[in-house]
Amino acid sequence: MTSQKPIAVGTNDSAQSQAAVLWAARRAHRFGLPLVIVHVVDDRWVAEPYPWFGTLQQVGEELLKTAAGRLEGTVPVTPDTELLTGSVGGALAKYSKRTSMMVIGSGSGHLGGALADRALQVATAAKVPVAVVGTHDLEGRSGVVVGVDGSAEATQAVAFAAAEADRDGDELTVVYAVNVPDPIVDAGLVPGALADLMVDEERIVLSETVAGLKEDYPDLTVHQRLESDKGAVDALVDAAAGARLLVVGSRGRGAFKRLLLGSTAHGVLKHLPCPTIITRTDAAHGTI
């Protein structure tokens, strides 16, 4: 591991962010990386430096102290803490430039409820991989699942997921959901033979996506799953129901280039099945 940039985790002391802090601490310990716990005091609605704004900062400092204290005796790491100000999503996304990974809770309180607002902003705008962690019970879970679609982003996601699975002795499941016309529903529009041919061609895309994994990871067990009767989000959420980790690219083959987060990544985060990492093609080399 060449990067010594820290793993950073945002907290607001919700159950989700507490789970995120613990997950980030365990990862930092495993990789031998520094850990930074950050909290954002949202100052967007403060028109001038009111005296009580200092109280909000003090509360934030106490929150960080509490979050760090929970790790004592649990994970052998000594985290740094940092208090930020600004919009929550914007401040964490900007801070991500100084990190190797940003970890956030799946959404509660001022971090955006069901990940429809500010936590989603972090996943969209961060410059490094973003891990989104919920309150799932991870006991007994195993395996890494990754979504692919033939895009450059998916290729990077597979490389990331394969390294994750191989490192921890897990099996890797590569899921590709394709939209194939139903020969019965679309009778007269698409012949059944053509639909079968489309499936065969997409199966080749799936095989090519994982082609180099056996050479790089000879001991890694790789499962290929081509789904033609489910959308990408449903296929990934179902496949990762018992997994310890899901990996998806930030933007897929069909996403508009102006969109920083594709619809599949967006949908998965709103139906989070397990800790999920969003990878990015523009992330700096050496990130984890």
Side-chain angles (χ1 to χ4, degrees), residues 92-249:
L92 292 180
K94 182 178 180 179
Y95 190 84
S96 72
K97 298 177 183 179
R98 301 161 55 182
T99 74
S100 60
M101 174 177 284
M102 178 63 70
V103 183
I104 53 177
S106 58
S108 180
H110 76 281
L111 275 182
L115 228 165
D117 185 18
R118 297 179 187 174
L120 184 57
Q121 293 173 17
V122 181
T124 301
K127 305 303 181 183
V128 295
V130 174
V132 183
V133 179
T135 56
H136 308 89
D137 182 2
L138 302 182
E139 186 70 27
R141 287 174 174 256
S142 64
V144 176
V145 176
V146 60
V148 302
D149 62 0
S151 66
E153 285 80 359
T155 299
Q156 177 165 305
V158 169
F160 188 104
E164 286 281 326
D166 185 71
R167 182 183 301 114
D168 294 326
D170 267 320
E171 297 184 357
L172 176 66
T173 300
V174 184
V175 179
Y176 185 13
V178 298
N179 183 18
V180 178
D182 188 311
I184 297 177
V185 175
D186 300 314
L189 298 178
V190 179
L194 180 55
D196 292 340
L197 179 60
M198 293 170 66
V199 171
D200 290 340
E201 289 179 345
E202 298 294 6
R203 199 177 302 279
I204 293 174
V205 173
L206 176 57
S207 297
E208 290 176 343
T209 301
V210 302
L213 294 183
K214 183 55 67 176
E215 180 178 345
D216 294 335
Y217 306 103
D219 297 325
L220 177 63
T221 298
V222 180
H223 304 283
Q224 300 179 40
R225 183 182 297 186
L226 184 71
E227 296 281 4
S228 59
D229 59 351
K230 295 179 182 178
V233 174
D234 288 342
L236 289 172
V237 170
D238 290 349
R244 72 167 180 87
L245 184 68
L246 172 62
V247 180
V248 294

